[in-house]
Amino acid sequence: MGRAPCCDKKGLKKGPWTPEEDLQLINYIQAHGPGNWRNLPENAGLQRCGKSCRLRWTNYLRPDIKRGRFSFEEEETIIQLHSVLGNKWSAIAARLPGRTDNEIKNYWNTHIRKRLLRMGIDPVTHAPRLDLLDISSILRSAFCNQSLLNLQGFLSAQALMNPELLKLATTLLSLNNENPDLVSQNLQQIQAMNPQVQSQVTPQMQFSQFQMPIQNNVEHFSGDLKNMGCSNSQENSVPSCLAENLMAQASQADLLGNPIFVDSRNNTNQNLGYDSVLSTPLSSPTPLNSSSTYVNSSTEEEKDSSCSDWFKFEIPESLDISDFL
DNA sequence: AAACGCCGCAACCGCCGAGGT
DNA sequence: AACCTCGGCGGTTGCGGCGTT
């Protein structure tokens, strides 16, 4: 049985709301409350359907609506929540007081989604796009923009997604004969986080001291690719059979590229990004692992630059990386 | 200055689930 | 159980503003 329209649409006005209509709606709701949206237009003297009134009120006229640019913290929150909730805009909006689902949806589609795509991150899975992951460009970008190479963050956040990247990083460090202290320092940090992982590669590199979950994911992931009979997806989206793997891998690092180190001793994450998201009360949104501040007047390019920090890592000045570029 | 194209956002559309009868 | 209404949600559209040519 076909559904009856929410109201008789004959003679009802559509399109942009006028200030007079807005005032009428505001005055009515302030005096009587929304009540039954279906009957509201008639009672308020508006030539609109109830649905239009409700949308106008909830998305624009509500007094607690926050207008203006999204802050960096809000943007981080949206990205993290989207990675968990998907396109559940209302659920995301519930954690961003003053923001509507429509506004968040628009902001995602017009800003965040495009930025993620530019960065080679699939906005659906939040994993690097396998077909576009260009190692040299990532490295070039990072090396040009930053003189810092945070090896552990780099490897944990990115190498686990791509065995080639892992190999490249290994080679990178192997070139670092002139600065063994840095290698030692990084490895000590890694070892401190995973003391039980045994060495599998060369003694000087000891890359297997990285987390076993990473290794397992890489192997598992490679296996999936083999099973699919494809080694390089042509599609933007990740094949559905890979989605779970990718999400699992993505969960190893938060969206700022900060690795979520799994402590195999007690099986807890040292970076509780998602947990903090999920446990955040509705009334008190938190910056979600952000120590940075974002000025509203920043440009999109500045935001891109900020996001380039996702690939930030430290690199010693003595390390010649030109061979890779 | 005009034409054109792109982009952002408000608003609309259609579907769905919950709840009432 | 079947039907109906309503509110809510996500996807899509279309208009206006802005930049470029």
Side-chain angles (χ1 to χ4, degrees), chain A residues 85-148:
Chain A
L85 302 169
N87 291 1
K88 305 292 183 188
W89 306 117
S90 59
I92 295 172
R95 294 187 174 273
L96 287 166
R99 301 295 188 181
T100 69
D101 54 353
N102 202 41
E103 193 177 12
I104 293 170
K105 178 174 59 181
N106 282 333
Y107 190 72
W108 176 271
N109 287 328
T110 57
H111 294 89
I112 301 176
R113 185 175 171 277
K114 289 177 183 174
R115 187 175 305 124
L116 292 178
L117 285 171
R118 276 202 300 271
M119 296 171 61
I121 295 174
D122 189 298
V124 178
T125 63
H126 290 255
R129 292 174 61 185
L130 299 176
D131 57 329
L132 294 182
L133 188 57
D134 183 341
I135 298 169
S136 64
S137 67
I138 292 173
L139 290 172
R140 184 183 295 112
S141 171
F143 291 152
C144 292
N145 295 337
Q146 316 286 340
S147 61
L148 300 172

Side-chain angles (χ1 to χ4, degrees), chain A residues 2 15 38 44 56 68 71 106 139 141 174-175 179 195 199 201 221 239 249 288 302 314 316 319-320 322:
Chain A
R38 187 185 178 91
R56 183 63 180 172
S71 68
N106 282 333
L139 290 172
S141 171
S174 74
L175 292 175
N179 197 346
S199 174
V201 199
F221 181 53
Q249 293 164 19
L288 299 169
E302 285 170 326
E314 297 175 359
L319 180 57
D320 184 4
S322 58

Side-chain angles (χ1 to χ4, degrees), chain A residues 142-143 145-151 311-316:
Chain A
F143 291 152
N145 295 337
Q146 316 286 340
S147 61
L148 300 172
L149 169 62
N150 183 329
L151 181 61
F311 299 107
K312 179 193 292 180
F313 37 87
E314 297 175 359
I315 182 169

Side-chain angles (χ1 to χ4, degrees), chain A residues 193-307:
Chain A
M193 296 173 184
N194 292 276
Q196 71 178 30
V197 180
Q198 300 300 314
S199 174
Q200 295 177 0
V201 199
T202 62
Q204 79 207 67
M205 299 315 306
Q206 299 180 0
F207 261 96
S208 61
Q209 291 185 28
F210 288 4
Q211 310 157 38
M212 290 306 292
I214 296 176
Q215 294 262 343
N216 292 340
N217 277 331
V218 170
E219 290 167 10
H220 190 183
F221 181 53
S222 300
D224 273 340
L225 286 177
K226 285 180 183 176
N227 292 338
M228 290 178 59
C230 63
S231 58
N232 184 20
S233 171
Q234 296 296 317
E235 301 295 328
N236 285 357
S237 57
V238 177
S240 58
C241 64
L242 293 179
E244 283 188 26
N245 264 330
L246 288 171
M247 289 303 290
Q249 293 164 19
S251 70
Q252 299 288 330
D254 71 21
L255 289 154
L256 294 178
N258 302 319
I260 301 173
F261 286 105
V262 179
D263 189 336
S264 54
R265 291 164 298 186
N266 53 16
N267 211 22
T268 58
N269 289 346
Q270 296 184 9
N271 181 336
L272 302 176
Y274 290 155
D275 287 347
S276 69
V277 169
L278 294 173
S279 62
T280 303
L282 292 176
S283 58
S284 59
T286 57
L288 299 169
N289 297 328
S290 171
S291 58
S292 61
T293 55
Y294 173 64
V295 180
N296 279 352
S297 60
S298 297
T299 64
E300 289 298 313
E301 287 68 26
E302 285 170 326
K303 281 193 176 185
D304 284 349
S305 172
S306 170
C307 288

